[in-house]
Amino acid sequence: MLVRKDSRVIAVDGSRMTMFKTKGEAFAPELELIEEHKNPSLRTSDLGTDKPGRSFQSKSPRRGSHEQTDLQQQEEDRFVSEMAKRIEQIMSGSKDSIILVAAPRALGVIRKHLGPETIARLQAEIPKDFGPDAAEPLANMLAKHEI
């Protein structure tokens, strides 16, 4: 993949967001860390202790239960949406292109929160769950990636 110099490479998952700036050659990018955010990992019992809901039908003795809410996933989605807003803040004063690397679910949450100007500067969206703290493997993956 041809990576423009001074592009922003943003790697996001449910617990971390790392932003890099590209240096080096177009086909062999080097990544320089700019910004990093971490979501503190909470236990499910710290997020909530409620039981799944129950429903009753007035005309029959049948009872039903509702599915348990995935509190960890809700927390990850909240963090990813906050990071999308942070990306929007950073990119509002910049004209750099963006390469976004995120898990498919996180990518969907991020897309909802990005404005049209930021979306227009997206050079690539890579739906891959990649460890945001690994700069060298990420640069190698970008060099080999085809759009």
Side-chain angles (χ1 to χ4, degrees):
M1 165 187 229
L2 179 64
V3 180
R4 298 179 192 142
K5 189 174 182 181
D6 294 330
S7 294
R8 308 277 176 123
V9 177
I10 303 170
V12 182
D13 69 6
S15 62
R16 297 174 294 205
M17 190 269 296
T18 309
M19 184 181 297
F20 300 97
K21 193 163 194 162
T22 58
K23 304 287 180 193
E25 300 175 21
F27 290 105
E30 295 175 19
L31 301 179
E32 177 184 309
L33 180 66
I34 296 175
E35 190 172 321
E36 183 176 28
H37 297 275
K38 291 187 179 183
N39 187 17
S41 173
L42 296 175
R43 295 184 338 202
T44 302
S45 62
D46 292 338
L47 295 173
T49 59
D50 209 7
K51 294 180 182 177
R54 307 282 293 169
S55 64
F56 303 97
Q57 294 181 0
S58 62
K59 295 182 180 182
S60 76
R62 298 172 67 186
R63 297 176 184 222
S65 65
H66 299 282
E67 188 175 327
Q68 177 75 29
T69 303
D70 189 349
L71 300 174
Q72 291 289 343
Q73 188 62 54
Q74 283 183 346
E75 178 62 21
E76 287 180 9
D77 290 348
R78 182 201 58 78
F79 176 76
V80 171
S81 65
E82 283 181 12
M83 292 302 101
K85 291 173 187 173
R86 178 66 185 138
I87 292 167
E88 189 67 27
Q89 284 177 339
I90 292 167
M91 298 313 293
S92 67
S94 173
K95 298 295 179 195
D96 296 338
S97 61
I98 306 166
I99 298 171
L100 190 57
V101 181
R105 182 178 177 97
L107 203 54
V109 173
I110 291 170
R111 279 189 200 123
K112 291 178 189 176
H113 291 63
L114 294 182
E117 291 179 15
T118 306
I119 290 174
R121 289 197 306 258
L122 277 174
Q123 182 181 350
E125 290 180 347
I126 302 172
K128 185 170 183 174
D129 194 4
F130 208 89
D133 57 342
E136 191 172 322
L138 184 59
N140 292 337
M141 188 268 306
L142 288 175
K144 295 175 185 174
H145 186 75
E146 294 183 21
I147 296 177

